[in-house]
Each structure stands twice: as structure tokens, then as C-alpha cells.
Amino acid sequence: MGRVTVNEEYCKGCGLCVYFCPKNILQLSKTRLNAKGYPPAEVIDMEQCTGCVFCARMCPDSALTVEK
Amino acid sequence: MGRVTVNEEYCKGCGLCVYFCPKNILQLSKTRLNAKGYPPAEVIDMEQCTGCVFCARMCPDSALTVEK
Amino acid sequence: MAKILMKGTEAIAEAAIRAGCRFFFGYPITPQNQIPEYMSRRMPQVGGTFLQAESELAAINMVYGAGGCGKRAMTSSSSPGISLKQEGISYIAGARVPAVIVNIVRAGPGLGTIQPSQQDYMQATRSTGHGGCRTVVLGPASVQEAAELTMEAFEIADAYRIPVIIIGDGMIGQMMEPVDFDAIKIRKREIPNKDWAADISTWGKRPRAVINSLYIDPKVCEASNLSWDEMFKTVSRKEVRHEEYMTDDMDHLIVAFGTTSRICRNAIAAAREQGIRAGMIRPITLSPFPFEAIKLAADRVKSVLCVEMNSGQMVEDVRLAVNGKLDVKFFGRTGGMIPSPAEILQAVKDAGGCR
Amino acid sequence: MAKILMKGTEAIAEAAIRAGCRFFFGYPITPQNQIPEYMSRRMPQVGGTFLQAESELAAINMVYGAGGCGKRAMTSSSSPGISLKQEGISYIAGARVPAVIVNIVRAGPGLGTIQPSQQDYMQATRSTGHGGCRTVVLGPASVQEAAELTMEAFEIADAYRIPVIIIGDGMIGQMMEPVDFDAIKIRKREIPNKDWAADISTWGKRPRAVINSLYIDPKVCEASNLSWDEMFKTVSRKEVRHEEYMTDDMDHLIVAFGTTSRICRNAIAAAREQGIRAGMIRPITLSPFPFEAIKLAADRVKSVLCVEMNSGQMVEDVRLAVNGKLDVKFFGRTGGMIPSPAEILQAVKDAGGCR
Amino acid sequence: MAIVYKKSTMLTDKPMLYCPGCPHGIAHRLIAESLEELELGGRVIGISPVGCSAFAFEYFACDMFSAAHGRALAVATGIKRAQPDAVVFTYQGDGDLAAIGTAETIHTANRGESITTIFINNAIYGMTGGQMAPTTLLGQKTTTTPYGRDAKRDGYPLHISELLAGCEGAAYIERVAICDVANVIKAKKAIKKAFEVQLAGKGFSLVEVLSTCGTNWGMNPLEAMQWLKDNMIPVYPLGVIKEV
Amino acid sequence: MAIVYKKSTMLTDKPMLYCPGCPHGIAHRLIAESLEELELGGRVIGISPVGCSAFAFEYFACDMFSAAHGRALAVATGIKRAQPDAVVFTYQGDGDLAAIGTAETIHTANRGESITTIFINNAIYGMTGGQMAPTTLLGQKTTTTPYGRDAKRDGYPLHISELLAGCEGAAYIERVAICDVANVIKAKKAIKKAFEVQLAGKGFSLVEVLSTCGTNWGMNPLEAMQWLKDNMIPVYPLGVIKEV
Amino acid sequence: MENRILFAGFGGQGVLSMGMLLAYAGMLEGKNVSWLPSYGPEMRGGTANCSVIISDTTVGSPLVMEPMALIAMNGPSLDKFEQTVVDGGLLIINSNIVDRKAQREDLRVHYVPANELALKAGNIKAANMVMLGAYLKNTRLVSIESVMGSFINVFGKDKERFIPMNREALKLGMESV
Amino acid sequence: MENRILFAGFGGQGVLSMGMLLAYAGMLEGKNVSWLPSYGPEMRGGTANCSVIISDTTVGSPLVMEPMALIAMNGPSLDKFEQTVVDGGLLIINSNIVDRKAQREDLRVHYVPANELALKAGNIKAANMVMLGAYLKNTRLVSIESVMGSFINVFGKDKERFIPMNREALKLGMESV
Ligand SMILES: Cc1ncc(C[n+]2csc(CCOP(=O)(O)OP(=O)(O)O)c2C)c(N)n1
Ligand SMILES: Cc1ncc(C[n+]2csc(CCOP(=O)(O)OP(=O)(O)O)c2C)c(N)n1
Ligand code: SF4
Ligand code: SF4
Ligand code: SF4
Ligand code: SF4
Ligand code: SF4
Ligand code: SF4
Ligand SMILES: [Mg+2]
Ligand SMILES: [Mg+2]
């Protein structure tokens, strides 16, 4: 129902989106660091995304785009 | 009953004591100016002075001494 | 228009309005109160803004705001108030915002007295705030010239994007002399398009405006400073002004600025009556300083005397100009005391070894 | 006590406490935050007062208050904050209150960057606020010296009743070097009895204290200024300090202060490797300036180069010292850029006409 | 599928130089979104302060000024007087607005300048490394209150918004918090409202945004938001403080 | 007969440089009398401001400082921290305390410094020749509001005492007026009380004294007192504003 | 020729405006002029003075330290400035206020009962005009017409109705010496 | 002999404290030392570095512009500073984070899997100690004892319990080259 895209260039791996996603479908990458050395947010299970935009509303770095 | 002395060196002839004396027994000199060019306050009728200190309380220049 | 009798402060205010200044932000301080007072009456008449700020700090930062929008803006104060504006002037310089700042100097340090002084020469010419930017400093010696230099100040400020300081003392601020505004012919400079300004009417037709002096990268900060230095070299080439008085045949050079130079005129007249050929160079731009003129003059005189209403500040510039060719002597009064023509005459004699 | 590794800022703070400073009023600003932070930890331990003021203006005026009570008081800041203190410093000078002010200079103008700079040389040496009082300005070049000069600063301030400015840059503020407090031997000066101070414990045993710089009568104001000038002449006679480095056989004189002088040492080493006999005079007191030492040195060298982290400010003092005997060359980096030994070496060669 | 959320066009492409999870970025977004929704585009002039948000001039896609520490509202006044049709906002931290800038803050409010201020109260000086701010809580440890803020020595947490409400020229003052989704939505509403008050020429509007500073509080962004809820809100209650 | 009233020993012999009828002189007397009655003599340190009362340091017979414009309370803080046993007071005008000195005033109150401030509100800048003060009334003509103070341009009369009451460190704030004998007696009481609050270490105390400036208002001293009653008191109501 | 005049008295005696009228009149007559008031808190102390220069050449120092004429409206002014007058200079004293005589013998001295004559003209406040008249009679530096022509410029349009009275005071002053 | 070393990496990798330990140890061994950190908002951007000088003579410039050794904890640091190292200088790279090889061929280069070895010692945060060990093995500039003797001075008394683990990391670093 929803789709979330992470702009990894902006993401600082702060984890706020992860915490505030009601569906718990975000995580910080366990394998990659971005150019600035941060583990970017990733969607684990896009299927479950409702497009509620909670994640993006909490993202300080406007790193998320949400479609629905 | 009361006695008021004017220290003419300090007096600036502002007239506040004159106005606030409930007995109306003060006036600004009509004949003299002090060294600074001001007409000093004078007591017209010391007899009537009650020593109420109204004049001195209103004098900005601490020019008045009141005895009772 | 005919001549009118005006105070120096009023002439400055009126000249600013005639130069197109429509934004004045000030705070009272003697002896320059007529500037804000005049502005408070006149600005509404010309559709301009007068605002009494809560402090000199606020005032200079309001100038920064209005100036950054591309408007001709001005503030005025006197020594302690100018000290408070130092940070703001440095920001204005750093962000390359044109502005005119008037300092009707009083005597100090501290609260001092409001009597005339030239004690802020160094502050104005050397260090308008931190950062070490030299700004333009104009020192009028008459009310007419105060008006003229005020109008020049706005041109220079806009032409180079630099804060310009007009420095006078209580005498020039408070005295009245005839002013003829029609006689003022200021040199028109090429004023670059203000497409750097945060002007909402030009949004979209120019790059986004960022009025700023913050640089995270020292390379960029250095580049900005170097461009300032470059600009100031141009200013030094094009804007230096001085006046010569009886220099043609002089043996003894006096250097003095502002009202002090007026007293020196009397001293020179008295000297010449005694057969002493004194003459004067009067810096009109205190910064950039007329080094060259003084250097040339120093080559052909027997003595150089600098006269100031302070403990000797411009004397450094004179020494830098003379560069060791002659000893530069100094005479000054401080703390609001005004030198008399007789004292100056004596100093000329002492400097020149005359009896 | 053994040597300890300390930041310059921390060494200044600790030295102040060891000098008996018990009142510190500050406001945060990079790159000097370790001073207030250190004070906030240490002052309570020694029964002293640390207070974070609401602004630099408030801080300097608190120093005026505590200093006027006869206490050793201090504040510290960095360029923009020092601009804000200008008025207060002028009041302190005018009222002859001892005070110590630290300026860990950043680059500007305006907000600039926090990288190292020596851009506030003129502001510190020429015009600490309006009024034209010259104050004492000390420029340490190592952390050990920062500690030492801080202790000296309190002595000088008390001995002459003058504000003393310690000027450093981010490098000296942030770097760590060994400090040995036991090795510090400061010259004890005769410190006059503080019977001018508003100290309630001595009420009745001294005249009523009036800590003041306001004079209605310009004669009195002038007298006060003249006594300042007189005092400063004594300071100039007794307190001038400089360091000479490889000057014995030098052909080429470098003048540099603070951390810049450290980089010059490397350049001198490199020059000597190439057979170029460079040497250095490092002013330790930037005001009063070591004119005499430089003048003497200029007599026996082929070139003089002034190196600074600004666009050329101390170079004026050097020119005044050299007084036309030689051309004074300048090399500098600004905006937080740090000159490299190689650049300086090149500048020495250019100045000296070496290949 | 349609885009329901993307980076506001009132923000530039520049990555922001804040710590991970710093609410400055969220507050920026809320301002940008409000301006975008109100279609104010080319009319907006913003003023960044001195503080962690000193670089805000690089982030907002409108004309921007960088002001000296504490003087943003004086600069804003100069701008607003010069261009009454401009929509002018300042963005200021607690040190900037409530310490060194106190006089400018109070007098701008008192003059009723139609300017909008977004006031980020994170109870600390972020930029300079975590010193005490006027809004630091009692007992809170900072680098200049190493033993905790002590009312006797350091004074009390300053309620500047409440003080400002006492200025006749202040038209709208609200306190919000960036600590969870619901509060962020409220914050957005308040910010937008503040701009509307400005557009209506009603006078000075200010939104105090309780924020965190994980870096200097020594917490991760989430812990910090919890600390805000537990400790700051009781001292600085949320809600509209003044509305005329 | 015994002396029931004479010049206070806490005043020097120096004639005061105020205009005839200026209440600065009365306020000085009330302070001096309070200090004398409380027998504080050698413990007192006063700070004169910049304003007509800049020369107050010549009039009070105690140790005195002359402070820069608006900074009296910062100086006072430095003094009080240096000598906690000293009785410290500042004497400040409306320009000094409520314009340029706003930040110092608010933060000193907020820190709860045990300092007493006598605040002379004459709704004008006396010293500099009658310019608008923050406390100037709407419509009032001054040399910088020649057409009358206009709220739109110049803002509103600032109620700084009420603002200060919002600072937790403020212990006692009262507004009095020098306009007749009864009010002068009340003013004296308030001033003495303010010093008692300081002595008790309760925090910051301030007495706002509504005063006249006949010279710059263009009235004689009596007319001015009447104008004060008719125009100032309605805007600045008398009485205790805060007491803890 | 540079004429240097010092006007001095209590604040409120119209010392500054009297000088300003003269300067204005000089300007109207095409001369170089300057007017410099004392300023500052000492004015609150009660005294005021102003320096006026009327000259054929450019005015040098606007400050009159050695006046060619001193107009002394009160005692303190006479005390303060008598010694500064140039040798053989002019001294005009308001004899209604100053109760002493001049000490210098080289000066040309006039005692003018300015308050009295002003009252006669219609208002004691015009004493300054009386003194100015006395000065002009002595020096003929500018014409009465120029002085009266400056009146509105100095005092403002709304004081126009006082012109006749002031002209009368000026005249009485001229006649008094 | 003046040894100039540059430590560089992300903030949080312990770059500053690694340099400080070395400087402290140098001081304990009676050498002249200086330590200069980068400072300012760029640190918030994520990178940090420090200049350390250990010298027999007085230290000149505390800023290391041409390091004799570069300890690169991350890629950006290697990119930024590799070219500044003196000819034939030493380059130690944290090969767990930096995924490229050195470009210069004149340098003595060591690739140290610092994170890995630190984990082995007990905590990934000790990667800096591993790198320092590798450096010391190469230069023998100061002794392990001096470094560990500085530990409490640099990290504070309450970190004392981490000494064994850090010593282990240092040792693993030394062994790795
Ligand atoms: C005049 C001046 N004083 C001090 C500073 C240093 N300074 C920079 S930011 C800051 C405080 C920042 O705190 P705050 O306003 O709360 O913003 P935050 O960083 O917390 O967002 C200070 C004191 C400065 N740049 N200029
Ligand atoms: C920094 C600075 N700014 C301005 C002044 C000029 N100044 C002197 S007194 C004054 C205002 C006085 O007004 P107020 O405080 O109300 O006192 P009052 O004279 O009315 O008693 C001002 C602005 C100054 N001396 N210093
Ligand atoms: S839109 Fe909602 S459900 Fe989807 S990832 Fe974001 S927070 Fe989770
Ligand atoms: S909230 Fe934004 S910056 Fe933080 S982890 Fe999620 S996408 Fe990255
Ligand atoms: S004491 Fe009372 S009655 Fe006597 S003169 Fe004074 S006011 Fe009048
Ligand atoms: S109140 Fe005082 S100064 Fe005024 S007239 Fe009376 S005695 Fe004189
Ligand atoms: S220091 Fe604090 S306020 Fe500043 S960016 Fe980091 S988290 Fe945000
Ligand atoms: S100007 Fe006003 S406040 Fe100042 S002394 Fe005169 S009457 Fe008093
Ligand atoms: Mg903050
Ligand atoms: Mg007032």
C-alpha cells in the first residue's frame, strides 16, 4: 500500500524512522555504511508499509520519500 | 511649633515645598536670586509651621531642615 | 536653493536623505542626538523609516538587515555607542553590505565627557570590529563638507559594498554653518547592480541571496578576505582625498583633520604673520590615508607636526607616510580639551626649531 | 609538581587560579570554551566564583564590578565576543580597574570561521574600545608561556591598574603541550595598595571609593588621560618583552608573534639548511611593542619580513620600528588558513632577494 | 502510487550539518513545509542565528541572512521595515534568543513587528559543546555546570515565552515539542499558524520548540526525546501561551 | 526644638546637578534615608547608571561605581559575587534599565541576585534631551516621536516590572510614584522594604518609581507631577507587583 | 576681517538664539559665519554660551577662545570670560542681573539694563534682543533688517507674531548705548 | 629529531585520544611534545584528526602539514592526507574500514585490520590502540609502558579497568606488522 525510499546520501542512521514506524519495517543497515560512515535506514518488508508517513515526519534529514 | 530652615546654596527654587506645604507659609523669594540664579524658598510665617515635614519630603535637593 | 544655517548633525541627516537613504536606525547619545531627532521628523515626510532601536547593537544590526535588502541605510552614534557597534560593523563588512555609520566622537575612555575629541581615530581606521577589515573613514571639517561627505559616503558604500564611517566631533556636530546643498557635486561612481541583495521584488531574476560572513572552510574565508583586500586596494587608488592649505611655499608641514584642522588654519595665519611659512595637509579620507601626498610634502619641508585632539593616533599614519625622512612631532589635547591656535603655533615653532 | 599535558586554554585557566584569580565571568565561544569550562569545575574547589553571564557584555561588566572591588577578575572570549566587550574594556581602562581579558582569536570578519587567526592584532593593540587607551597585550607562543603570561598579566594589571589582554589563536588554545607550573618564575612587581577599591572590609580606612570614568570637566578628563599616558610610558619602559631566535648571525630578520612564530622556526631551520641566515624577533608584549629591539636588529640585516596570520597588521609596528631604514616585507595567510614553513621560507627568500 | 511525502521544495539539496537525529532538521522541515503550503516562495526572507543552526542559510531555499549571535530579530526588524511585504522569519536557539539576544527578543516582540520566530529550546548550547543555556533545567549537568545547574549560582530556567506574552506587541506564542509523531504534527500546525499571524499583520509570532541535543546531553536521539518528555515538558508546559 | 528632618548622612554635600524640581533628587533622598535608617553605612555599594543620574556617584556617601549605559546590573552582579556581604544597589532610568539594559535586567532578576534596583521611570530619556523611552506613553511627543509615540512604529509602553515578576529569582517588585507627599512616603517604604529583602537574602528586589521630567516634558515641576498622576499611573498602576 | 563674538549667560536667557540670529543675519548678508554652542550637562547646571564668527574669509576655528566682543548676560559669565576678551575689545553687560562692574580697563564696556528695556518692549524674555541691539549699534556688523529677516528661520513660523516686540527690543538696545 | 605524526579518521574512532596517548607517553619519556586537534563544526560532519609531534628539540609548528607518519582510520582521511606524507614516510591504514590501497609507492605502508583485532582484544572501540601499536612497532618512538602509563591521565581514573584490554589491543597491533 505504501512505498518508502531512502535517500542514502542524506541518511545519518539516527534510527528515528526505525523507532517511530508503527509497522516496524525499517532498520539500520547492518552491512553497509554510506559515504559519511553512517548505516543507512532500509525497509525490511515493504509489503506492510501503510504509507502513514510517520517515518518521514520524524526524519531530520528529509531522507525519506513516501508514496501511496 | 515647627521651624524650617532653607539652605539656600542647595535650593533651586522649584516651588515644590511651596505647593505642598499644607499651611501655605512658604514662597519663592521675589527679591533675591542665589548664586546659581534661582529664587530661594522662604518661610513667610514661621509661627504657623506645624513641623509636618511635608515641605522637606518633597524637596529634591535636601535644602530644608525641619525642627519641632 | 539658498544657503541655510544648519548644525553639522542636521546637515548629515539631511544629506543622507538627499542621498536616498530611507532607513535610519539609531539610539540617542550626545553629541549626535540631532541626527536621530531630525530623522524622526523628516523620514515620515519622505516615506522613509526612522526607528529608535533598543540599543546601538540592535541599531547596527537593523542597518545590516535593511542594507542587506539593498536599501541605503544608516546609523549614527558617539564613541561608547560605536564601541557597541563593533561586532555589527564587522558582520556588515564580512557580508559585504553597504552601510553608513556616523560617529560624532566624544572624549573618553569610558563615559568620559561629551566634549570634542578625535580619540576614535585608531578604532575607526584600524579595527572596525574584529577581523581586521579596513573600512572607509571620512573626516569632514565643516558643516558643508559634512553634508557633502555624507552623500559621498553612500556612493562609496554602494560602489564597493563597504561600510563607510563618517567621523566628526562635538564641534562639527553642534556648530551651525551655512550649507548649500545645490553646490554639492558628488562624483558619481559606477554602482554595481545589487543582485546580491535579499530583495523580494527581484526574486527569481537573480541567484538566491545569502547575506553572510560565516565560512566553514578557511579557504573560502581567506578568499573572501583577499577579495576584500583587493577591493580596498582599488578604494585606496580611487578614493583617497586630502586638502592642501598654504603648502606651496611651506617650510613647516602640519597634518590635522576635522575641526582640529580649522584651528590649525588660525595657527598658520598667526605663524605667517611671524614670517613662519607653515602649511597644512588635511586628510579628508582618514582611511584610505593620503600617504602619498604627505610623503611628497615631507620631501620639501623642514618639519612635520601632527596635531590631534587625542594623545597621538594619526601621527602613526603620518610617520608611516614620512617613513623616517623626518622626525614627526606631535601636539595634542585630550579629554575634550580643545587646542588653541596659540598652543599650536608654539608647537609648530618647537617642531621647526623656530624661535 | 611534574609536567602535565594541557591545552593552552586550560593552562590559562589554571594559571589564572594560581595567580589568585577568584572571579571568572564568561560566555561560551569556540575556540576558548575550555577556559570557562575549566573554571566552572575548578572555581568551586578553590572557593572562587565562576559565572556564565548572559552575554559577553554582561561578562566584561561583571569583571569591572569584581575588579573594582579589588579582586583579581578575568574574562575570556574570541573575536566577535571581544568586539562586544570593547565598550566595557574602555570603561575598565577609564576607571583604572585591573582586569585580564583573554582573546583566543578566530578568523573573520563577522562570524568567519573558528580556525586560527591573528586578525585582532590592531583591535587589541590600538583601540580596546573608544577612547584610544593603549593597553597591555601579551602574545604567548606555547602552552607553557600561555600559563606564564597569564600569571604575569595579573601582576601587570594590578601594578599599573590597567586591563591586560592575552591574545592567542585556536592553535594555542586547542593544542596540548607539557606545562610545568613550578618552573614559572614571574617577576614580582610592586603592587600599590588597593585603597582605591570599593572593598567594604576597608571602609573607613580609606577615602570613599568611586570607580568611575565620567568627567564633566574636560580638564579633569584630560588630566586623567595624561596620567594614563604617563603610566603607559612606564609600562613601555619596564614591561616590553621579546624573544630573539638565531639573531646573532642573521642576515634576514623575520618578525612574528604567537603560533606563527613557531612555524617561522621551522622555516628558519629550513633556510639555514640552505645556507640562508634567517633569524627571528618574536614580540612577546605586542603592546607595548619592542620597537627598540627591532630597530637595532634592522641596522644589521639585509631584509625584514613580517609574518602574520592576517592581511598585515603588526607590519605597521615593524615599519614604525624600522623607520624607513629598510623596506619591510610582509607575508600572511588569512581566514583561518595557516602558513606553511615552505611558504614562509619562500617569502624570506623573496624578501631577502635570495634564490 | 502517488508521492505523499517528499523533501520540501523550500529546502535546498544541501545535506544538513547536524548530528544524527538532531531535531533542528525536523524543525527546518516543518518551516519549509509551512512556507510551501502557504505558497510564500519568493516572498520569504529567513535569518539564521549563531548556534548549531548557523548554517541554516544553506538549507532554506529562500533569501537568507546570517545574523550575529542574538541579533537575529534586530536584523529581521531591519528587513521587515525595508520590505513590509516580505515574510520574515528568524530561527534561533535558546542561547541566541534567551541569553545574549534577550533585549532584541523582548523589544521586537514589544514593537509588535510582524515577524515569525522559531525558537529551538534544547536547554543547552549545542554548537559550542554543551554549556548551560538560560533554559537549562535545575540540576542538569552541562560543561559549565559540571555539578548540575544550581539556582543560587546560575539562576532559574528562564521562561522567555511566558515573558514575551507580557509584551503587548506579541500576537501569538505557542510551545510545542519535537519528541514524537503527534507532537511533531502539532509543531507543524503551530509553525504554520505563526506564519499566518504574520501574514495577517497581527504582530509578533513565536513558536517555542522543545528540542533535544543528544550529542551534548550524552544520549542517543531516542533517549533524548524521552528525556525531553520526562524532564522538559513538566518545566516548560506545552500549548498556546498567547493568542490575540 | 529638635531636628525632625535634615539632609541624610548617606548623601554627600555636593549640590545635585538636576533640574529644579526633578524627582531624581527626591528618590536619592529616599534611598539615603532608608540606608541610614537600616544603619548600613559602610556596607553599601551603589552603582550609578548612564542617564541624568550618571552623577549619582557624587551624591551618595558610600562606595560607588559608574556603570556603562544599561550595564549597572552586570556590574552589580560582579560586586555582589565579589562581596556577598555588601549591600548593593543600582539606580537606573527607563532607558538604561528597560532599553539597552534589558538583557542584564532580566537575567540579574532571573539569577535572583540579592541586589536592589531603584528604577526611575520618567517615560523619557532625560539626559540626552527628551527622546522616546521604552516606557513613553502612546501618543506622547518626544524629540524622536515628534508626532507622538505610535504603537505601529515604536511599539508599546513596556511594562518591565511586570515582565520581571515572571522571573523566578525576583523576590520583591513594587511600583510607586513621586507625585505628592503621600506617594513619596509610600515610595520610601517600598525602597526600605527592598533593601530589607536584600538583607534577608531573598533575591532580587526592584522598586519602580514613576517620576517626572519637567524639562523634557515641557512643564514645570508641579504640572509634571499632575501629568504623571493623570497619564502615567493609569498605564503603570501602583502597588506591589510581586512579593515572595 | 574675522569677527569673533561670545554670548554667555544662564540657560533660558536666550543666549544661544541671540547668537544664532546674528550668525543667520551674517549669512544673509553673504558673509562666512559659524555658530557654536556650549553643550552638555553643564547646561543643566544653568549656564550657556555660544561662539559666533562673522568673517569675510573662510572661518577657521569655530570656537571663540579670545572674543573680540563678550555679551555677558549674568555674573558667572562675566567672571568666567572677562579675562579672555582681546585687548581693547567690546564688553556688554546686562546690568539688571550683573551687579558688578568690569575689572579690565582696556575694554569698551557698556552696561545695558536689558531686562528693564525688554519689559518696556513688552516681554522680559526679549532681554537678549536688547543686548544684541547694543552690540549691533557698536559694531554695525549686520543690519537690523537682516536680523529680523532671520527671526522666523531661528524661532519658527509660529513665533512670527513676536517680531514687532523683538524689533522694538532690538531698537531699545541700540538706543541704550 | 622531530617526529611528526598525523592521526585521522571519523569522529568516534578515538583518533584524538590515540594521539594524546602518544604525546603523553613522549612527555613521560622526557621528550618535547605537542598535540593539536582539528576542531570546529567539521567535527560534527564526522571527521577528526590530530597532529602529534615528539621531538628532542623545542617543537616548532604544532601543526603537522607534512607528516612523517599518517595513521588513517577511514577512507576520507586517506584520500585527504596521503599526498601530504613526506617521501618515504610511514602510512598505516585501517584495512577493516578503508577498502582501497595506498596510491603512493614510496611509502612504507601497513594494512592493519584494526577493528577485527580490537574485537579480538575485547572491544571494537580499541581499534585506535591497535593502530597505535602498529605505529609503535614501526618506530619504537616510545615504550608500551609509557603509553599505558598515560592511560589514566588521558581517559580518567574511572576508565582504569579498561587498561588490560587496551594493552592487549596495543600488543595485537604491534604483532600485526
Ligand atoms: C558574540 C558571540 N558570542 C558567542 C558565540 C559563540 N556561540 C556560538 S553558538 C552559541 C550558543 C548556541 O546555543 P543555542 O543558541 O542554544 O543554539 P544551539 O546550538 O543549541 O542550537 C554560542 C555562545 C558567538 N559566535 N558570537
Ligand atoms: C552606550 C551608550 N549609549 C547611549 C548613551 C547616551 N545616553 C546617555 S543617558 C541616556 C538615556 C537616559 O535615559 P534614562 O535611562 O531614562 O535616564 P534619565 O536621564 O531619563 O533619568 C542615553 C541614551 C551612552 N552614554 N552610552
Ligand atoms: S510510511 Fe509508515 S509504515 Fe511505511 S515505513 Fe514509514 S512509518 Fe513505516
Ligand atoms: S530518520 Fe532519516 S536520517 Fe534517521 S535513520 Fe531514518 S532515514 Fe536515516
Ligand atoms: S514643616 Fe509643614 S507646615 Fe512647616 S513649612 Fe514645612 S510643610 Fe509647611
Ligand atoms: S523644594 Fe527644595 S529646592 Fe524646591 S524650592 Fe523648596 S527648598 Fe528650594
Ligand atoms: S550539537 Fe546538539 S543541537 Fe547541535 S546539531 Fe548536534 S544534536 Fe543538534
Ligand atoms: S532632564 Fe528631566 S530627568 Fe533629567 S534632571 Fe532634568 S528634569 Fe530631571
Ligand atoms: Mg540551544
Ligand atoms: Mg528616563
Side-chain angles (χ1 to χ4, degrees), chain A residues 1-3 9-10 12-16 19-20 36 38 51 53-62 64-68, chain E residues 1-7 11-22 25-26 29 179-181 184-185 221-222 225:
Chain A
M1 230 187 81
R3 186 166 69 201
E9 193 196 332
Y10 290 119
K12 291 186 190 134
C14 71
L16 287 175
Y19 180 82
F20 285 102
K36 296 223 180 66
Y38 300 121
V53 198
F54 279 23
C55 53
R57 278 194 211 291
M58 294 307 289
C59 175
D61 291 281
S62 297
L64 300 172
T65 306
V66 183
E67 288 162 291
K68 198 170 155 173
Chain E
M1 281 211 289
I3 288 177
V4 291
Y5 206 94
K6 66 174 179 40
K7 184 167 183 173
L11 292 174
T12 65
D13 287 344
K14 201 115 185 174
M16 297 183 191
L17 206 73
Y18 299 113
C19 302
C22 175
I26 300 177
R29 253 197 325 101
C179 54
D180 55 32
V181 179
V184 166
I185 291 171
L222 274 170
M225 286 188 178

Side-chain angles (χ1 to χ4, degrees), chain E residues 18-19 22 24 52 122 126-127 212-216, chain H residues 44:
Chain E
Y18 299 113
C19 302
C22 175
H24 272 306
C52 279
N122 57 10
M127 178 67 147
T212 68
C213 174
T215 300
N216 287 302
Chain H
R44 199 149 297 147

Side-chain angles (χ1 to χ4, degrees), chain B residues 4 21-23 25-26 49-55 66:
Chain B
V4 168
C21 170
K23 294 290 173 187
I25 56 173
L26 297 172
C49 176
T50 62
C52 69
V53 200
F54 279 22
C55 52
V66 183

Side-chain angles (χ1 to χ4, degrees), chain F residues 26 34 102 145 172 194 211 236:
Chain F
I26 300 178
S34 302
T102 307
T145 55
Y172 170 65
S211 295
Y236 300 110

Side-chain angles (χ1 to χ4, degrees), chain C residues 27-29 56 80-81 84 106 111, chain D residues 87, chain F residues 24 50-52 69 93-96 100 122 124-128:
Chain C
Y27 189 81
I29 183 167
E56 291 87 352
L84 290 174
R106 44 200 270 175
L111 194 44
Chain D
E87 189 203 27
Chain F
H24 272 307
V50 174
C52 278
H69 192 33
D94 39 13
D96 196 79
I100 193 169
N122 57 10
I124 209 152
Y125 285 17
M127 178 68 148
T128 40

Side-chain angles (χ1 to χ4, degrees), chain E residues 23-238:
Chain E
H24 272 306
I26 300 177
H28 284 17
R29 253 197 325 101
L30 304 183
I31 294 168
E33 289 166 9
S34 301
L35 295 172
E36 192 177 344
E37 289 167 22
L38 294 167
E39 297 181 5
L40 295 175
R43 278 175 69 189
V44 185
I45 303 178
I47 297 103
S48 45
V50 174
C52 279
S53 50
F55 293 100
F57 63 78
E58 300 207 329
Y59 309 143
F60 288 104
C62 57
D63 287 346
M64 293 290 298
F65 281 70
S66 158
H69 192 33
R71 316 303 166 200
L73 279 167
V75 177
T77 297
I79 297 168
K80 189 76 183 187
R81 297 288 173 131
Q83 305 189 64
D85 289 339
V87 174
V88 179
F89 76 94
T90 69
Y91 185 98
Q92 302 179 257
D94 40 14
D96 196 80
L97 179 137
I100 192 169
T102 307
E104 287 77 6
T105 307
I106 295 219
H107 286 276
T108 307
N110 190 56
R111 280 192 306 267
E113 305 282 349
S114 278
I115 290 169
T116 299
T117 293
I118 310 304
F119 163 37
I120 306 297
N121 178 359
N122 57 10
I124 208 153
Y125 284 18
M127 178 67 147
T128 40
Q131 295 83 5
M132 181 187 79
T135 53
T136 293
L137 305 186
L138 291 181
Q140 189 181 336
K141 286 188 183 173
T142 70
T143 52
T144 50
T145 55
Y147 313 111
R149 182 177 190 163
D150 170 9
K152 265 279 168 209
R153 184 184 82 161
D154 308 308
Y156 297 86
L158 190 70
H159 289 69
I160 187 89
S161 292
E162 279 81 356
L163 293 192
L164 289 171
C167 294
E168 220 169 316
Y172 170 64
I173 298 178
E174 179 164 358
R175 188 180 286 118
V176 298
I178 293 187
C179 54
D180 55 32
V181 179
N183 276 294
V184 166
I185 291 171
K186 278 192 205 153
K188 162 77 178 298
K189 261 202 200 122
I191 288 172
K192 191 166 172 184
K193 172 83 174 282
F195 281 110
E196 285 164 348
V197 166
Q198 174 174 175
L199 287 169
K202 286 189 191 160
F204 183 70
S205 54
L206 177 142
V207 179
E208 174 174 343
V209 182
L210 300 186
S211 296
T212 68
C213 174
T215 300
N216 287 302
W217 294 2
M219 301 174 197
N220 74 33
L222 274 170
E223 288 164 1
M225 286 188 178
Q226 194 57 47
W227 194 89
L228 184 167
K229 275 193 200 173
D230 296 344
N231 298 280
M232 285 182 78
I233 295 180
V235 177
Y236 300 111
L238 304 184

Side-chain angles (χ1 to χ4, degrees), chain G residues 105-127:
Chain G
E105 304 199 332
D106 62 318
L107 304 180
R108 285 173 294 140
V109 186
H110 295 283
Y111 299 92
V112 178
N115 293 18
E116 231 172 278
L117 294 176
L119 264 176
K120 201 162 145 198
N123 190 333
I124 196 170
K125 288 208 162 170

